[in-house]
Amino acid sequence: MKAVQALTLTVLLVAGASTQLLKPGKCPSPAVQANFDASKYLGKWYGIRKLPTSFQKGQCSTANYTLEGPGVIGVLNSELLDDGTISSAVGSAKVKDPTEPAKLEVSFSEDSPPGPYWVLSSDYDGHSLVYSCTDYGLFHKELSWIMSRESTLPEETIEKLLNTLSSIGVSVDKMVPTIQDESYCSAMNE
């Protein structure tokens, strides 16, 4: 009984500390991008839609990926906060298993464990669909981002990517659009 109470308390603490939703069961294992080529993935991506997170609360989000070494990608995530300041996070992504290069682990500090960053789909020049899931005992927490090389993405592409997420059980109705309006986001380009 005490183990159940401890697990319940843990779940409540994790849920309370995060805007992400906990879902029952283990993480799914979706197919990732076949023959993923990290060198083609490098560069700037714009956030188009995402599942809400506790660590990404702004708009005009971008992710810039650079090659830091064999199997290591530098990550610079930036966003415009409501108060007009720009928030950035610097980290690195590493390929966990060379036979599955689309499954990376990303970390932003030495104090926190790396998180999964799985590229489910990318044409390298237009869109990227990223999925992350972490198990917490009887529950799991998932994150997902739809990104584009431009500040917009055709609605039919978004719908296709949402269908991919929906097919693995992601609650796509919870995904929120990211403002990428040129005048609103002008501070990001200064």
Side-chain angles (χ1 to χ4, degrees), residues 42-65:
L42 302 176
K44 186 175 187 177
W45 291 93
Y46 293 86
I48 302 298
R49 289 203 189 174
K50 66 183 179 210
L51 285 174
T53 70
S54 59
F55 55 85
Q56 193 177 23
K57 297 186 180 285
Q59 300 296 332
C60 312
S61 64
T62 60
N64 196 9
Y65 303 116

Side-chain angles (χ1 to χ4, degrees), residues 67-139:
L67 187 61
E68 291 201 345
V72 181
I73 297 172
V75 178
L76 173 60
N77 290 342
S78 300
E79 64 183 342
L80 182 63
L81 300 177
D82 289 341
D83 66 4
T85 61
I86 296 172
S87 174
S88 296
V90 177
S92 63
K94 297 176 183 168
V95 174
K96 188 174 177 179
D97 178 354
T99 65
E100 293 184 298
K103 291 183 177 182
L104 298 109
E105 288 190 334
V106 66
S107 57
F108 288 96
S109 75
E110 294 177 13
D111 300 335
S112 62
Y117 181 103
W118 292 8
V119 180
L120 301 187
S121 172
S122 182
D123 62 3
Y124 304 107
D125 297 321
H127 78 271
S128 177
L129 178 61
V130 176
Y131 179 73
S132 175
C133 190
T134 304
D135 287 316
Y136 292 99
L138 300 174
F139 299 89

Side-chain angles (χ1 to χ4, degrees), residues 60 80 151 179-190:
C60 312
L80 182 63
S151 59
I179 295 172
Q180 290 290 359
D181 178 74
E182 188 176 340
S183 60
Y184 183 84
C185 299
S186 62
M188 294 285 289
N189 299 319
E190 295 175 357

Side-chain angles (χ1 to χ4, degrees), residues 132-152:
S132 175
C133 190
T134 304
D135 287 316
Y136 292 99
L138 300 174
F139 299 89
H140 68 275
K141 176 178 66 177
E142 52 194 3
L143 305 169
S144 188
W145 297 268
I146 293 175
M147 299 186 299
S148 175
R149 290 291 190 182
E150 302 294 328
S151 59
T152 61

